[in-house]
Amino acid sequence: MRLLPLCTRIACLLFIQLLALESFATHNRAGEITYVQTGPLTIVATITTYTRTSSVQADRDSLEIFWGDGKDEWVQRSNGNGQELPNDTKFNIYVIEHTYASQARYIISMTDPNRNEGILNVNPPSSQNIPFHLEATVTLFNIQFDGFNNSPVLLQPPIDIACVGQPFIHNPNAYDPDGDSLAYELIVPLQGVNLPVPFYSFPSEFPPSSNNLIDLNRVTGEFFWLTPQRAGEYNIAMHIIQFRDGVPLDTMIRDMQILVVDCENAPPEIQTEDQICVVAGEIIDLPVIATAPTSDFDQRVAMTALGGPFSLDISPARFEVAPGYRAQPLSGRFIWQTTCEHISDQFYTVVFRAVDDFPIRRGRDTLYLSTLHTLRIKVVGPPPEDVQVTPGNNEVEISWANPYSCEDAQDEYFRGFSVWRRQTSNQFPLDDCVPGLAGQGYTRLNIILTRDIVNDRYVYIDQEVDRGRTYCYRVLAEFARLSAGGFPFNTVESLPSEEVCVQLSRDIPLLTKVSVENTSTTSGQIQVEWTKPNPEDLDTLLNPGPYRYQLLRSTGFDNTDFVEIPGASFLSPTFSSDVDTFFLDEGLNTVDNAYNYQVSFFVNGGDDLLGDTPPASSVYLSIASSDETNTLSWRADVPWDNFRHVVFRQNDNTGLFDTLAIVDDPFYEDTGLVNLREYCYRVETVGSYGIEGVPEPLPNLSQEACGSPLDTMPPCPPILMVDNICGELDGNCQRDLLWNDLSWTNPNETCEDTDDVIGYNVYFSPIEGGDFVTIETFNSLDSLLYRHFPDGGFAGCYAVTAIDSFNNESALSNIVCVDNCPIYELPNVFTPNEDGANDRFIPLAQCFVERVEFNVFNRWGQLIYQTNDPLLNWDGRNMSGREVSEGVYYYVCKYFEQRVAGVVPSREVLSGYIELLR
C-alpha cells in the first residue's frame, strides 16, 4: 500500500473532521420533555424538538433518552420525517414508554450534540458547537394516596418572531391536567446535566439599556421583552415548576427561540378580554377581533387559538373563526359552556394568535409577523344558597338549600361542605375571582366535610357557642381530585354563601372591663367589671334568687385553672336588687403576667351554677428594641372585638403618658429614638360586643412597659468592584503581576438607612461557589481599596461587608468572581542537537495551565511521545529513550486550565505538526 504524504494525510484528516462537524451542526432550535403517567410505575415520555429543516444531514430519526434510573434508550421519531413548519423549522416528536423499579423522583433528560448556528446569546459566534439539553423531573407517588402525576402540557410552540424596536410578548400556554399550580422562572439554557451553556447572555444585554428589558411573569408565564434592539436569533429557557397542594413537585425545562427581525410593518393586534371569572354552569361567549396596520400595506390576517379549555374531555371550548387569511377586521368567537368539572383554583389559559400576510425576507426564509394575546379564565364553584340559622339551647343550627347545583359532578369531584363562623358581621363584597374566605376573619368549624341532610336541607349543628353572643355564618362547598384509594388532593373551595347572623339569649353576665390600673411586681392592680344578665332573657320563675356573682382568675392567657378570688363574691336577694358588678383585684404581678378572668353566675339561693361568662384577659404589652426603634405588640384574649388601639408614651418632663398613635391592629413601631435611652409605654384597647343593651365602647389599659433602642440592624452592604491586568499579560505570569484591585462604596453615602459604618471585612474564595474566608479587616471608614495576590493567579471570588459602630455586620456585598486568562501557545519547530539553543520542545507562552494531555505521532500514526507536564520538555526521544529521526511529526494537545470554577478542560484542543531538525 502506498503511503500518502504527511500533508495530504493531515488534509484528509481535517476534511473528515470538518465533514463530521458539518453533519452535526446547525440543528436544534427549541424543545421540551413532557410525560404522562399510565401506571403506578410507568410513564410515557415525549421529547419535542424544533430543528432547522435545512440541516438535512443533522436530522435525527432517533434520540437517546436517559431515564434517571441508570438506564437509557434510543427512541424513534413518532411523526414520520417530522413536520415542516415556516421559517426553516421542523417539528419532531419522540414518544417512548418506561417502567421504573420503585416510587421516587427521577430526572429524565436528552442531550443532542448541536444547537443551530447564529444564536447571538449562546457562545457567540459558535452556537452550533454547543449541545442542546432538555430535562424534566418525574415524581412517582403511591397512587392509592397521592394520585397520578402528569407533567404540564405546553400548547404554544416555542418558536416566535419579534420586531426590532417593538414590544414582544410570548406565553408557553402551559396546562396541567392534574390541576397542579404552576410557576415560571428564567434560567440559563443547559448543554448537559447541571451544565449551563457557555458565554450566555440574556436578550436584554444586546445592548443593555432602559429600552431593552425582559421579564417573565412567575404566575402567568408571560414573557415580555421591551424592546428588542438587535436583529438575530435568541434563545431563552425557563423552569416550569409544578406545585401540588402548595408543595413544589416537579420541574421541566422549556428551551425556546425568538427570531428578531427588522420589520417594515407592525404586527397584528388582537382585541378581547385579558381575564374573566365565571361561576361553573355559565356559558362564555366572547368576541375576539384581529386587525393589522393598513396605513402602508394592504394586509390580511388569520387567527387561531390554543389552550387548556380546548383539551378537556367534558364540554371542551371551541373557537369559531373563518379559516385562512381574511380581510380585516377579522372577528371570531370563543365559546365555552363551563361545567362543575371545570372548577379549579388555577386559571385556564387561552392564547389567541393572529398572523398577517405581509412577507419579511430573511435569507432563504420568508417570515410573517404574529401577535399572541393571553386570556386567563377561572371557573369557580357556585355558592351554597339559602343559608338559615336557628338558635337552640347552647347551640345553633345552620342549614342551606338541597340540592346543591354541583353535587353531582363526575368522578366524585364534589366532596362536601365546610361551615365558617365569626363573632361580628363582615359584609365584604363578593368577587367571582376570589373563592373561599381567606383573610375575612372567619374560622372553620368542621374539619370533616358535611353532607348531612335533615328535613330535606343540608344541616350543621354548632355546639361551641356562648350565651349572649352574636355569631355570623357562611358555608363553602369543596371539590377535590381523588387518588386511586379515594384520598383527595388539589382541594378547591367554592364562592362563599351569603352571611347570616344570630344573637343568642343573654341570661348570664358579660365581662366588660379588665384594665390594668397599677403596674408592679407585687402590688399591681386590675379593675374588673361585668354586666348583669339581660332581664328579658333570664327566666326568674325557673331560676329564682337569691343570685350570686363569683369572680375567678387565672394567671396568663390560659382559660383553665380558674380559682375564686377571695372577697370577690357578690350576693343579690332579687334580680332587681342593687349588687356590685365591679372589683379591684390587687397584689398582682402585672409587670410579668397577664391575668384572665371569668364570672360564675349562681341562682336558686346562690348555690346552683347557671353558667360562666366567656373569659377575658388583661392587655399585655411587649416591646422589642432595635436600632432607634421600639416595636410594640400587645395581646388581649377577650370576648368582645377591639376595633381601636391607642398607644401612649411617657413624657419625661411631666411623667404623664401622652397619646402617641391610634392604630387598627395590635402593633406599632416607634421610630427615630435615641439608642440606649429608656422609653416607657402603655396601650389602651377600645372595643365593643355589638350587642344592644351592653355598654360601649369598652376601653382597657395595659400595664406600663419600657424599652431601650439598641442598634441590632446591620448596615447596608457595600457595592464591590474588582479590576486586574489579566488581559494584558501576553504570556507573562510573573507572581508580582498577579493581583486583583478591589474597590467598594461607602454605605453611609449610598444607603439612606445607614449612617454609622466604621469599617469593612474582605472575604475571598478561590473557587466559585466555595466557602468565603476573611482575608482582611479595615477599621477605617475611608478604607475603600485593597490589593490581593491570590495563590492561584487572578482566579477567585470576592465579597465585602460593612461594620457599624455597634459591631453589626452587613450582608455580603455583590459577589464578584474573576477568572484567569489562560494562554497556551506551541511552536512548530525545534532542534534537539544539544547546542544549548532550542533543544527541547516547550511552549512559547503558557499561563494558568494545570496539566496537559500531549501526544506526538509519527507519519504512520504511531504514538512516540506523551506527557502531562504543561512545560512538555520533549527532547526528541521516543518513549523508549531513543532519538527519533529528523522530520515532521503530528501532535494533539488537550490542556486543562486553572479557572475560578476549578481545573477545567480548555474549549479547544491544539493540534498541528512539529518539524524536528538536528
Side-chain angles (χ1 to χ4, degrees):
M1 178 180 69
R2 186 172 64 88
L3 294 175
L4 292 173
L6 178 62
C7 59
T8 304
R9 289 172 56 83
I10 293 173
C12 290
L13 178 62
L14 291 177
F15 174 76
I16 293 171
Q17 290 175 336
L18 289 173
L19 182 62
L21 181 62
E22 177 66 24
S23 69
F24 286 95
T26 68
H27 187 49
N28 288 285
R29 292 185 181 274
E32 70 266 352
I33 298 175
T34 57
Y35 62 88
V36 174
Q37 186 177 0
T38 58
L41 299 174
T42 301
I43 66 168
V44 174
T46 300
I47 304 172
T48 302
T49 65
Y50 293 78
T51 57
R52 275 196 172 176
T53 307
S54 58
S55 299
V56 177
Q57 293 182 350
D59 188 47
R60 304 282 189 266
D61 64 356
S62 60
L63 294 173
E64 189 174 16
I65 186 170
F66 295 85
W67 293 108
D69 58 356
K71 299 178 181 179
D72 60 276
E73 295 179 75
W74 285 91
V75 50
Q76 295 292 317
R77 183 161 50 197
S78 303
N79 60 336
N81 292 323
Q83 178 185 353
E84 294 190 12
L85 304 175
N87 309 330
D88 193 19
T89 300
K90 179 184 281 191
F91 169 65
N92 312 277
I93 56 175
Y94 307 79
V95 181
I96 188 171
E97 182 179 88
H98 182 70
T99 298
Y100 290 95
S102 62
Q103 298 165 11
R105 177 168 293 170
Y106 302 93
I107 299 177
I108 53 177
S109 63
M110 182 282 300
T111 305
D112 199 45
N114 301 90
R115 294 174 179 266
N116 66 278
E117 66 179 348
I119 305 174
L120 296 184
N121 63 332
V122 174
N123 193 47
S126 303
S127 59
Q128 70 272 17
N129 294 332
I130 304 304
F132 178 73
H133 179 80
L134 300 172
E135 62 182 49
T137 61
V138 179
T139 301
L140 298 178
F141 297 120
N142 183 329
I143 62 171
Q144 292 295 316
F145 296 98
D146 301 300
F148 279 76
N149 178 30
N150 303 292
S151 74
V153 180
L154 308 185
L155 301 173
Q156 206 65 32
I159 305 287
D160 216 338
I161 300 171
C163 292
V164 172
Q166 299 185 32
F168 168 78
I169 297 176
H170 179 87
N171 195 314
N173 201 356
Y175 166 67
D176 192 282
D178 302 323
D180 296 328
S181 59
L182 304 176
Y184 305 80
E185 61 182 19
L186 281 177
I187 63 169
V188 175
L190 299 183
Q191 61 175 334
V193 176
N194 298 323
L195 188 61
V197 300
F199 303 102
Y200 180 78
S201 301
F202 287 99
S204 54
E205 299 177 54
F206 288 83
S209 77
S210 59
N211 294 323
N212 189 13
L213 305 173
I214 63 172
D215 178 67
L216 179 65
N217 189 304
R218 179 174 173 82
V219 176
T220 68
E222 197 162 72
F223 176 80
F224 179 71
W225 188 354
L226 175 76
T227 51
Q229 301 291 304
R230 179 179 170 186
E233 298 181 6
Y234 300 83
N235 270 64
I236 63 170
M238 63 182 73
H239 271 151
I240 302 175
I241 309 164
Q242 289 173 266
F243 290 79
R244 179 165 295 183
D245 292 327
V247 178
L249 187 58
D250 284 327
T251 300
M252 64 182 294
I253 292 176
R254 163 164 270 194
D255 196 318
M256 70 165 289
Q257 190 167 91
I258 306 168
L259 312 179
V260 179
V261 296
D262 292 304
C263 303
E264 298 179 34
N265 64 327
E269 297 177 354
I270 298 176
Q271 297 176 350
T272 191
E273 298 287 342
D274 297 325
Q275 178 175 299
I276 59 174
C277 299
V278 297
V279 178
E282 295 179 358
I283 187 169
I284 302 172
D285 190 343
L286 195 66
V288 186
I289 301 173
T291 58
T294 57
S295 57
D296 299 320
F297 310 102
D298 182 16
Q299 298 178 50
R300 298 181 302 164
V301 292
M303 191 161 47
T304 55
L306 295 170
F310 303 108
S311 305
L312 299 170
D313 295 329
I314 300 173
S315 188
R318 65 184 190 274
F319 184 50
E320 296 180 352
V321 67
Y325 286 103
R326 300 285 173 162
Q328 57 169 318
L330 174 60
S331 295
R333 301 199 74 82
F334 172 76
I335 301 172
W336 187 18
Q337 174 61 67
T338 63
T339 69
C340 297
E341 291 78 11
H342 301 153
I343 295 169
S344 176
D345 262 351
Q346 312 308 314
F347 279 86
Y348 293 88
T349 300
V350 176
V351 176
F352 301 100
R353 181 174 184 265
V355 58
D356 65 26
D357 64 348
F358 181 81
I360 299 174
R361 307 299 179 187
R362 181 178 178 268
R364 294 178 296 178
D365 300 337
T366 301
L367 309 180
Y368 299 91
L369 293 185
S370 64
T371 292
L372 301 182
H373 183 98
T374 301
L375 167 65
R376 302 177 74 228
I377 306 170
K378 178 178 276 191
V379 181
V380 298
E385 301 287 348
D386 190 26
V387 179
Q388 301 176 12
V389 291
T390 304
N393 186 19
N394 295 324
E395 65 181 28
V396 175
E397 178 185 278
I398 307 100
S399 66
W400 55 98
N402 170 40
Y404 173 63
S405 59
C406 280
E407 64 184 32
D408 294 326
Q410 292 188 24
D411 299 323
E412 299 183 69
Y413 192 41
F414 170 68
R415 305 301 301 155
F417 300 97
S418 58
V419 181
W420 300 70
R421 184 186 76 189
R422 58 174 286 149
Q423 293 186 14
T424 56
S425 176
N426 181 8
Q427 296 290 338
F428 64 91
L430 294 181
D431 184 343
D432 283 353
C433 286
V434 185
L437 286 166
Q440 300 299 340
Y442 292 85
T443 300
R444 180 170 175 163
L445 298 181
N446 57 324
I447 298 175
I448 300 175
L449 296 174
T450 181
R451 298 177 71 167
D452 294 341
I453 295 176
V454 176
N455 296 327
D456 203 31
R457 287 178 62 83
Y458 288 109
V459 67
Y460 177 79
I461 306 297
D462 180 12
Q463 296 180 323
E464 299 295 327
V465 294
D466 295 317
R467 294 186 180 100
R469 302 297 299 271
T470 297
Y471 295 102
C472 296
Y473 298 89
R474 292 182 188 263
V475 181
L476 299 178
E478 291 194 9
F479 304 83
R481 299 173 187 271
L482 296 182
S483 69
F487 293 91
F489 65 94
N490 284 341
T491 298
V492 184
E493 296 176 329
S494 74
L495 293 174
S497 71
E498 293 290 338
E499 183 186 68
V500 59
C501 300
V502 63
Q503 181 180 343
L504 301 185
S505 63
R506 186 165 55 85
D507 58 357
I508 59 173
L510 287 179
L511 283 163
T512 57
K513 192 178 194 70
V514 181
S515 184
V516 179
E517 301 299 311
N518 182 48
T519 302
S520 170
T521 57
T522 58
S523 57
Q525 296 176 322
I526 294 179
Q527 180 72 20
V528 184
E529 298 179 6
W530 58 92
T531 68
K532 296 170 66 174
N534 186 347
E536 297 179 0
D537 293 333
L538 178 63
D539 188 339
T540 56
L541 293 178
L542 184 63
N543 302 294
Y547 301 96
R548 183 165 65 93
Y549 300 82
Q550 176 65 55
L551 183 62
L552 300 94
R553 178 185 66 217
S554 69
T555 302
F557 292 101
D558 193 356
N559 289 335
T560 60
D561 300 327
F562 280 101
V563 296
E564 294 184 358
I565 302 174
S569 182
F570 307 93
L571 191 65
S572 172
T574 64
F575 184 78
S576 60
S577 301
D578 291 335
V579 63
D580 287 343
T581 56
F582 56 87
F583 181 77
L584 183 64
D585 195 13
E586 300 180 293
L588 305 174
N589 180 1
T590 51
V591 172
D592 299 316
N593 297 320
Y595 291 91
N596 219 3
Y597 293 88
Q598 187 177 69
V599 176
S600 295
F601 182 55
F602 294 86
V603 298
N604 196 21
D607 297 322
D608 295 340
L609 177 65
L610 183 62
D612 298 314
T613 66
S617 77
S618 60
V619 184
Y620 191 78
L621 172 62
S622 301
I623 301 176
S625 299
S626 58
D627 185 23
E628 300 180 357
T629 301
N630 280 328
T631 300
L632 282 63
S633 61
W634 52 97
R635 176 179 174 183
D637 291 351
V638 294
W640 58 84
D641 291 310
N642 287 320
F643 55 82
R644 186 169 69 244
H645 308 264
V646 185
V647 182
F648 301 93
R649 187 173 71 192
Q650 190 173 41
N651 187 310
D652 290 340
N653 296 324
T654 66
L656 301 177
F657 282 84
D658 298 333
T659 300
L660 181 62
I662 298 176
V663 296
D664 295 330
D665 299 309
F667 176 86
Y668 180 73
E669 281 192 348
D670 190 13
T671 60
L673 306 179
V674 177
N675 284 336
L676 302 182
R677 174 182 170 184
E678 186 177 68
Y679 297 84
C680 295
Y681 307 84
R682 69 187 314 184
V683 171
E684 181 183 66
T685 62
V686 182
S688 170
Y689 275 103
I691 299 175
E692 185 178 354
V694 177
E696 62 177 43
L698 303 177
N700 288 279
L701 287 167
S702 74
Q703 90 285 10
E704 298 174 15
C706 302
S708 301
L710 176 66
D711 186 357
T712 59
M713 301 295 292
C716 291
I719 300 173
L720 174 64
M721 295 147 286
V722 181
D723 193 18
N724 57 38
I725 61 170
C726 193
E728 306 170 14
L729 284 181
D730 195 24
N732 184 359
C733 294
Q734 293 179 214
R735 182 73 179 89
D736 58 356
L737 297 177
L738 308 184
W739 71 74
N740 291 316
D741 283 329
L742 283 66
S743 61
W744 54 89
T745 59
N746 176 358
N748 288 350
E749 299 175 355
T750 60
C751 183
E752 63 181 47
D753 295 329
T754 298
D755 58 8
D756 62 343
V757 169
I758 60 171
Y760 308 94
N761 284 332
V762 182
Y763 293 89
F764 175 72
S765 171
I767 60 172
E768 189 172 13
D771 294 332
F772 279 106
V773 296
T774 306
I775 57 173
E776 190 62 67
T777 296
F778 294 97
N779 295 316
S780 169
L781 172 65
D782 299 320
S783 298
L784 303 174
L785 301 172
Y786 178 62
R787 175 167 287 182
H788 183 231
F789 292 81
D791 292 335
F794 298 103
C797 295
Y798 297 91
V800 179
T801 60
I803 309 297
D804 69 14
S805 57
F806 285 85
N807 207 36
N808 298 307
E809 184 174 16
S810 75
L812 293 176
S813 69
N814 56 305
I815 297 174
V816 179
C817 294
V818 293
D819 209 348
N820 288 323
C821 39
I823 301 171
Y824 202 63
E825 298 177 2
L826 301 180
N828 57 13
V829 64
F830 78 119
T831 57
N833 54 13
E834 299 184 0
D835 63 356
N838 199 27
D839 284 334
R840 293 177 180 269
F841 186 79
I842 60 176
L844 295 174
Q846 73 105 358
C847 281
F848 311 121
V849 175
E850 177 78 12
R851 69 180 190 276
V852 299
E853 294 176 1
F854 179 70
N855 297 285
V856 181
F857 303 88
N858 61 21
R859 66 176 60 203
W860 294 279
Q862 297 172 325
L863 178 67
I864 63 168
Y865 180 76
Q866 63 181 178
T867 185
N868 299 120
D869 183 358
L871 295 178
L872 304 182
N873 283 316
W874 185 33
D875 60 359
R877 299 175 184 271
N878 62 22
M879 290 185 292
S880 298
R882 297 179 181 178
E883 292 184 349
V884 300
S885 60
E886 287 189 340
V888 177
Y889 296 85
Y890 188 77
Y891 74 88
V892 176
C893 182
K894 182 177 182 180
Y895 60 96
F896 295 81
E897 303 169 338
Q898 298 165 347
R899 293 283 194 174
V900 69
V903 177
V904 298
S906 64
R907 293 177 55 201
E908 63 175 342
V909 176
L910 300 179
S911 61
Y913 60 88
I914 305 169
E915 187 174 4
L916 188 153
L917 302 174
R918 295 196 181 275

